[in-house]
Every structure is written in C-alpha cells, then in structure tokens.
Amino acid sequence: MSEAQAVTNDPGIVRDLTAFQHNILVILSEEAMYGLAIKRQLEDYYGTEVNHGRLYPNLDDLVEMGLVEKSELDKRTNQYALTEDGEDAVLNRLNWELSKFVTDEDRADSVRDLIDAQQ
C-alpha cells in the first residue's frame, strides 16, 4: 500500500455503504467468489435466506462504486473480487471502528487476541 493509499481515520466511501454492502466487501476480502458463494456466506452470517433481489443489486452498486470487480466465469456465472479501492474501504472501516473501540490497553489486548486467533 502506497503512502497515498495509507489507512486514515476518515471512513471515506464506507460511510455511504449499507451494513449489507459492507458485509459483502468483508466476505470478498477472503477471496474472489461467484454470487451464490457470497449468498451462502451472507446466509450463514445472518442465519436467514438472502434474496437474489437483494444481493445482486447491491453487488452491482459495489461494482459501480469501483469497490468490487465483476468478471465472467462462464456464460451463466459471474465472479466478484475486491478491488484495491474495496480493500482500502474495508481497511478504513476497520481503522475507524478500532479508533472508537480501543480506548485503553485492555481493549487493545482484546483486539490483539482476536488477531492472533486468526493467524
């Protein structure tokens, strides 16, 4: 990440995203996926069915914003991947959330424990 792309306290474009759109970006942070795989992960998270009529318009909006890239896997299946701007948006959101949450060393330790558990 270049200095110009450094994470800032300004949430940037993320402040205009819905929680649902943000969750899509977080899911795509792991790897590129096709729509049905994204849908399944969202359903696991929400514990309920996610309508195609909700998912695909939001994916299209994220593509239009330049946060997600859409490519064709075959004639019926599209793949979605996080762009560099999308990655910056996720990092900026995390930075903003952490700036509000980490108010003392105990909370900082809690966050470090979460990060260590992911490695």
Side-chain angles (χ1 to χ4, degrees), residues 101-113:
F101 180 78
V102 178
T103 57
D104 59 36
E105 196 58 39
D106 287 339
R107 285 189 172 187
D109 288 340
S110 295
V111 171
R112 285 185 199 99
D113 291 343

Side-chain angles (χ1 to χ4, degrees), residues 23-93:
N23 292 339
I24 291 170
L25 293 181
V26 170
I27 287 169
L28 290 174
S29 295
E30 187 176 13
E31 64 182 340
M33 296 182 186
Y34 59 98
L36 189 56
I38 298 167
K39 181 180 181 296
R40 287 183 186 135
Q41 288 217 12
L42 287 167
E43 288 173 342
D44 286 346
Y45 178 73
Y46 288 114
T48 188
E49 184 178 352
V50 172
N51 274 329
H52 285 74
R54 181 178 185 199
L55 175 61
Y56 290 100
N58 278 285
L59 280 167
D60 289 341
D61 289 345
L62 293 169
V63 168
E64 190 174 306
M65 287 183 237
L67 302 175
V68 171
E69 181 178 72
K70 179 179 175 180
S71 60
E72 192 175 281
L73 282 177
D74 58 42
K75 293 183 188 218
R76 294 184 39 164
T77 308
N78 292 315
Q79 179 169 287
Y80 299 88
L82 205 60
T83 64
E84 196 170 308
D85 286 345
E87 184 177 323
D88 289 345
V90 171
L91 287 172
N92 283 334
R93 176 62 183 241

